[in-house]
Amino acid sequence: MDPIYNGMPAADLPAEGWRRPWSGGNGGNCIEAMKLADGRVAVRQSADPGGPALIYTAGELAAFIQGAKAGKADFLLT
């Protein structure tokens, strides 16, 4: 497999291992995530499984989740 990079086609990542930890009940348009072997996390749009995958380090993802829990992303909902 080629090196994993941010924005790569999600179809170039393994097909197995994608999960839908967040589901908005919006007709199947969900965020899917997969933990990679090196500890990073790939995120893709379920409606476009071959589209680009965003690749985050564990630290980046932890900072986002902690910030969201603290209300720092609430502005995205309004």
Side-chain angles (χ1 to χ4, degrees):
M1 181 182 306
D2 291 328
I4 295 174
Y5 60 91
N6 198 29
M8 71 182 295
D12 290 348
L13 292 167
E16 298 297 318
W18 291 99
R19 299 176 73 184
R20 292 184 183 179
W22 309 279
S23 180
N26 53 7
N29 292 320
C30 303
I31 300 291
E32 294 179 323
M34 175 172 52
K35 191 164 188 175
L36 303 171
D38 65 2
R40 293 182 295 168
V41 176
V43 178
R44 71 179 182 185
Q45 172 57 265
S46 66
D48 187 13
L54 299 176
I55 310 296
Y56 297 99
T57 66
E60 289 168 334
L61 196 57
F64 175 77
I65 292 170
Q66 290 167 359
K69 285 181 176 182
K72 294 182 180 180
D74 289 354
F75 71 94
L76 296 170
L77 302 175
T78 60

